[in-house]
Amino acid sequence: SWATDCAFSFYRLWECLDIYAFAHFAGWVCKAIVLRHAGILWAISILWEVTEIAFAHLLPNFAECWWDIIILDVLLCNGLGICVGLFICHKLEMASYHWESVKDIHSTTGKIRRVIMQFGPESFQPVRWFEPTSTVIRILYVWQLLFIWQISELNTFLLKHILMVPIYNMLNTYRLLLIGAIVSPSIKQYYAYITDARSKRLGTQCWLFIAITLVEFLICLKFAPELFAKADLIRVALWVVFQAIYCLVITYVFVIFAKIRGKKLGTRRRSAAQELQDPAKEMTKKSLRSRHDSDGDVGEASSKYRSVNRGGLENGSHVLRSSTRKRRNDYNSSN
């Protein structure tokens, strides 16, 4: 039975912190590393809880108590996973990795860290889904991302329920690992497609992920027509409408916050540039002043040098005339 006794207690909450809760937390850490946007991650987190409520009449394990939804899922597993994943992204984006040899690292912690970094990328590129120049098309692109993400998450539980795959079966783990390996380059390609004007077509990995999601959903429809015959069409239709409106509103709010943040960041950058320009101007003035002083000293020294040379030449010519006159007088007296 699911969601039969919803009385909250810390003991019941502690009992729910099992290996599946840890897997839930680890999954959201991976999602945060892939998406790298707190707003989209929290939007997906809340939207998925709404999806569980909408499909609880088809999948019994979607029926959960209020504290299971709010405290265990949204705050603990999802929230902590998002924070840890974004913290990892922040550290990897800001750090500069030098792929030196392990022998050049003297501390044990540094050597362990270097070995772990060997299996990761050299650097992480910051991901900014919403820029101040975002258009309506960008909002629709992000809405498509959220919608396909929800369908992919829903396929996980539908396939397990329809194909009667046991919870402890490793096929569930293998599928999640495979989907995770495909999602990572797919998100990168999708992000490049919607943000880079030079990108003219969607990447192959992204098309592969969309095809896998569509095929999995078609498999669910093929092998469980009786299950979907029991579906409450009004509830499903309301879920689709709510998801569309929710995604559009959320993405529009994100764009507004991105514009506000962009203005604040621009003001901060201009002030920082002004602070950098003031010392630069002072240094320029000092260098010009010192150059002017040095030019004056050189000019004075050159004038002194010219006067000295002129005096020396005059004295030399006077001595030469005197010696010439003396030799002429000696010659005349001898004759």
Side-chain angles (χ1 to χ4, degrees):
S1 59
W2 304 86
T4 54
D5 185 11
C6 291
F8 173 74
S9 65
F10 288 101
Y11 177 75
R12 296 188 63 184
L13 181 63
W14 178 259
E15 283 184 336
C16 293
L17 298 178
D18 50 9
I19 186 63
Y20 298 104
F22 177 78
H24 194 174
F25 163 78
W28 275 96
V29 172
C30 296
K31 293 174 185 177
I33 294 175
V34 170
L35 290 173
R36 307 178 200 175
H37 190 278
I40 291 181
L41 290 166
W42 280 106
I44 292 176
S45 175
I46 297 174
L47 191 58
W48 174 247
E49 300 303 326
V50 177
T51 302
E52 287 186 337
I53 295 174
F55 288 89
H57 64 288
L58 297 179
L59 300 175
N61 58 336
F62 275 5
E64 296 176 338
C65 296
W66 65 269
W67 55 269
D68 195 352
I69 297 175
I70 299 175
I71 300 177
L72 184 61
D73 288 346
V74 176
L75 296 180
L76 290 181
C77 296
N78 302 1
L80 289 179
I82 291 171
C83 294
V84 172
L86 293 178
F87 177 78
I88 294 174
C89 290
H90 176 72
K91 288 298 181 181
L92 292 178
E93 288 175 3
M94 300 302 292
S96 178
Y97 298 127
H98 303 284
W99 299 96
E100 66 274 9
S101 174
V102 179
K103 297 180 181 178
D104 299 332
I105 304 176
H106 302 289
S107 63
T108 305
T109 305
K111 291 182 178 180
I112 296 175
R113 185 177 175 185
R114 167 66 178 79
V115 172
I116 295 175
M117 284 162 42
Q118 178 66 39
F119 300 96
E122 181 179 359
S123 62
F124 270 73
Q125 179 184 0
V127 174
R128 299 174 180 87
W129 290 94
F130 303 97
E131 293 290 344
T133 57
S134 296
T135 60
V136 178
I137 301 299
R138 172 78 68 84
I139 298 175
L140 294 177
Y141 282 150
V142 176
W143 175 80
Q144 291 177 4
L145 170 68
L146 299 182
F147 186 79
I148 295 176
W149 193 285
Q150 294 295 307
I151 299 298
S152 179
E153 293 275 359
L154 188 61
N155 288 339
T156 303
F157 296 92
L158 287 174
L159 289 172
K160 186 175 63 175
H161 177 75
I162 294 172
L163 301 180
M164 293 181 291
V165 180
I167 299 177
Y168 299 98
N169 197 305
M170 291 301 296
L171 285 176
N172 297 317
T173 305
Y174 295 153
R175 178 192 171 274
L176 291 176
L177 292 177
L178 180 61
I179 292 296
I182 297 174
V183 163
S184 181
S186 300
I187 295 297
K188 174 63 179 177
Q189 292 178 357
Y190 191 73
Y191 175 76
Y193 176 70
I194 68 175
T195 57
D196 192 353
R198 297 171 297 177
S199 181
K200 301 300 181 182
R201 59 178 61 89
L202 199 58
T204 55
Q205 290 289 335
C206 192
W207 280 115
L208 179 62
F209 173 69
I210 295 174
I212 291 175
T213 303
L214 180 60
V215 169
E216 287 182 344
F217 189 72
L218 292 177
I219 290 174
C220 296
L221 292 177
K222 176 179 176 60
F223 290 96
E226 67 282 356
L227 177 65
F228 289 96
K230 301 177 183 177
D232 189 351
L233 298 180
I234 297 178
R235 180 181 292 187
V236 175
L238 290 176
W239 170 75
V240 173
V241 174
F242 172 80
Q243 183 163 249
I245 297 175
Y246 175 81
C247 292
L248 290 176
V249 172
I250 288 297
T251 50
Y252 183 74
V253 171
F254 290 160
V255 171
I256 293 177
F257 276 104
K259 290 181 179 180
I260 297 174
R261 183 175 177 273
K263 292 180 180 179
K264 292 182 179 179
L265 185 60
T267 305
R268 196 179 301 118
R269 287 177 178 175
R270 285 192 296 270
S271 61
Q274 185 67 28
E275 292 177 359
L276 291 175
Q277 287 177 359
D278 293 339
K281 290 180 180 178
E282 292 296 330
M283 293 179 63
T284 304
K285 291 180 180 178
K286 289 181 179 179
S287 63
L288 293 175
R289 193 180 301 114
S290 62
R291 184 181 299 175
H292 182 270
D293 296 338
S294 62
D295 292 342
D297 295 339
V298 171
E300 184 178 357
S302 61
S303 62
K304 290 181 180 179
Y305 179 75
R306 286 193 298 269
S307 62
V308 170
N309 288 341
R310 189 181 300 110
L313 290 173
E314 290 176 355
N315 293 332
S317 61
H318 177 71
V319 172
L320 181 62
R321 286 194 300 272
S322 300
S323 60
T324 304
R325 191 181 302 111
K326 183 178 180 181
R327 284 196 301 270
R328 186 182 298 114
N329 293 332
D330 293 341
Y331 177 79
N332 295 328
S333 61
S334 61
N335 292 331

